[in-house]
Amino acid sequence: MGWLYMHRDSMGGHATAKAYLDAQFTYAREQPDGGSRGFNVVASACVGNRVYYAAAQRMENGIGHEIVAIVCLVRWNPRDREGLVFGYKDMDETCGPNEAACPPRILALLSPTDNAYALAWRERCRVRAERAKRRLEEGMRIRLARPVTFTDGYSGDEFVVERLGRRLALRPPGGGGRYRIRGIATLDWTVVHETRVHGTVFA
C-alpha cells in the first residue's frame, strides 16, 4: 500500500497519529455468514512520531486469536502548508519492514510464527533493543562496523568518546574534529580495548 495523507478534520477527532492508527486498526467487519472479523490493538507506540508499531490481535466473532505486528511509517506535520498534517504507509511484519525499533514490550505480546520475514524482523528488533542498552562513556574507544562519512569530508570507523559540556562527542584517535552520530547507541559498534605496555622495573 502507498502513502495516505489527510487533513486534520479527516482524522475523526483524534489528536495524534498514534490515536488515529489505534482506532484505524481496531475494527470488526460483518461477514456474509453473520459473523464478524477484524483486529484489536493490544498495545502500540509511535516512536519519534515517525514509526508506529502495534501488537494487533485477530478477532473472529468476538473471539481473540493470534497477535501480529503492524508497522506504519508516519509523517506528522501540523504546519503543512496544504493542511495535509498526517500521512502513513502501513505494512505487517511478514513484509520484513526496514524499520526495526519496535519496543520489547510489544514484541513480547506477539504470537509465535513460522514466517521467515516476520522472524527475521523480530530478531532485528531484539538486537537493536539490546544495543540501545549500551552506554557510551568518556574515554571509551569504539569501532563501527562500517565507516561513516561526515559533512566535512572526513570518513572513519574508529573514534574516542569525549565530553563536550553536557554531551558526548566522537573524535578520531589521531585527533581532529569532533563529531556526533545520530542514533549511535543502536548502531553496530564494539569497544576497542587498548593494550598498554608497561616498562620493566629492575630491583
Side-chain angles (χ1 to χ4, degrees):
M1 179 178 176
W3 283 88
L4 175 64
Y5 288 91
M6 65 189 71
H7 296 83
R8 188 180 291 277
D9 57 12
S10 297
M11 294 180 63
H14 300 291
T16 65
K18 179 182 180 301
Y20 175 87
L21 292 170
D22 283 347
Q24 184 74 4
F25 295 113
T26 298
Y27 64 89
R29 295 195 178 110
E30 294 185 1
Q31 301 299 306
D33 61 4
S36 65
R37 291 180 182 175
F39 278 92
N40 178 53
V41 172
V42 180
S44 68
C46 196
V47 180
N49 241 0
R50 293 181 56 253
V51 188
Y52 169 88
Y53 299 96
Q57 185 169 35
R58 186 175 66 83
M59 306 295 292
E60 188 167 352
N61 300 326
I63 300 174
H65 295 275
E66 73 272 15
I67 300 176
V68 300
I70 294 174
V71 180
C72 295
L73 303 181
V74 171
R75 291 179 182 168
W76 177 253
N77 183 12
R79 298 181 180 179
D80 184 79
R81 293 181 179 180
E82 299 179 4
L84 297 171
V85 301
F86 172 51
Y88 74 96
K89 179 179 181 180
D90 65 291
M91 64 199 82
D92 64 46
E93 60 180 324
T94 62
C95 296
N98 287 327
E99 300 291 342
C102 184
R105 65 180 178 84
I106 293 177
L107 289 176
L109 297 172
L110 304 179
S111 299
T113 180
D114 58 3
N115 182 277
Y117 291 106
L119 289 171
W121 176 78
R122 293 181 186 187
E123 180 59 22
R124 285 191 290 117
C125 290
R126 293 189 184 97
V127 169
R128 183 186 178 95
E130 285 301 313
R131 288 176 180 170
K133 295 178 181 178
R134 301 174 300 174
R135 293 291 180 267
L136 291 174
E137 298 178 4
E138 186 175 13
M140 182 183 288
R141 184 165 177 164
I142 63 171
R143 180 180 295 122
L144 302 174
R146 56 185 61 83
V148 174
T149 300
F150 299 90
T151 55
D152 64 357
Y154 177 77
S155 180
D157 63 355
E158 198 164 308
F159 300 90
V160 176
V161 181
E162 285 190 350
R163 181 169 294 281
L164 290 179
R166 295 183 178 181
R167 296 187 177 184
L168 295 176
L170 305 174
R171 69 166 175 80
R178 303 299 186 269
Y179 303 99
R180 291 194 178 95
I181 301 175
R182 183 177 179 180
I184 189 170
T186 59
L187 296 181
D188 186 5
W189 53 263
T190 55
V191 176
V192 178
H193 298 285
E194 301 180 72
T195 302
R196 298 182 182 276
V197 179
H198 298 280
T200 302
V201 178
F202 296 95

